Amino acid sequence: MAKWHGISRRKPSGGRLKRPNRYRGKRRTEVASEEQYAYIGEQDARKNYRKRAGSQTVRMLSVNQVNVSMPKDGKTVRATVTNVIGNDADPNYVRRNIVTKGAIIETDVGQVRVTSRPGMHGVVSGVLIEE
């Protein structure tokens, strides 16, 4: 569900504001886009969103592959995601397998900390956690 970020029609005391609310309705620019989480799925899926002035952004809808940077070797490989192990942003994201920046995910090469923002960048990148 979209969120409206417009001005309130009420004062802090609870009384109503007469001007400018009487003649000014809601604007499309004040409505935020719906929340779209990057879940772990069978394949990578992305969605384009139109932003203001015609620019676009890409969001991940489902995640299957991750670009893993290995600091020891200085190489980057593509790995398959299996599970979300930890997330400091919200413990519910671990239960629902939602990938965000800072999440620790389990891959076929080991545990990886996500460094990109899947909801903003449209790609999942991470750094291998050395144990």
Side-chain angles (χ1 to χ4, degrees):
M1 175 179 245
K3 292 182 182 176
W4 178 61
H5 293 288
I7 56 175
S8 176
R9 296 177 189 271
R10 294 279 176 176
K11 295 191 282 189
S13 63
R16 69 185 179 101
L17 282 169
K18 291 185 177 178
R19 212 199 66 196
N21 292 316
R22 209 164 69 217
Y23 60 85
R24 183 187 185 278
K26 292 182 180 179
R27 302 289 194 261
R28 186 182 184 277
T29 58
E30 296 170 348
V31 178
S33 59
E34 68 272 9
E35 290 184 351
Q36 202 60 262
Y37 297 113
Y39 295 95
I40 292 180
E42 295 294 322
Q43 61 186 11
D44 287 346
R46 293 171 179 84
K47 185 175 179 183
N48 289 335
Y49 282 88
R50 183 188 185 277
K51 293 170 62 175
R52 197 167 180 174
S55 65
Q56 287 190 344
T57 186
V58 182
R59 291 187 184 175
M60 293 290 291
L61 299 181
S62 67
V63 177
N64 188 28
Q65 301 283 323
V66 60
N67 300 319
V68 180
S69 175
M70 299 181 180
K72 264 189 180 173
D73 305 336
K75 293 191 294 186
T76 301
V77 296
R78 197 127 165 98
T80 305
V81 180
T82 57
N83 198 9
V84 176
I85 297 172
N87 197 331
D88 291 338
D90 194 348
N92 288 319
Y93 288 173
V94 178
R95 296 183 195 123
R96 295 166 61 191
N97 274 341
I98 295 176
V99 180
T100 60
K101 182 177 178 177
I104 299 173
I105 56 177
E106 188 177 347
T107 64
D108 51 0
V109 295
Q111 292 183 1
V112 175
R113 178 177 293 279
V114 179
T115 57
S116 66
R117 298 174 70 185
M120 297 284 189
H121 300 153
V123 69
V124 181
S125 301
V127 177
L128 185 67
I129 298 174
E130 301 294 334
E131 297 173 0

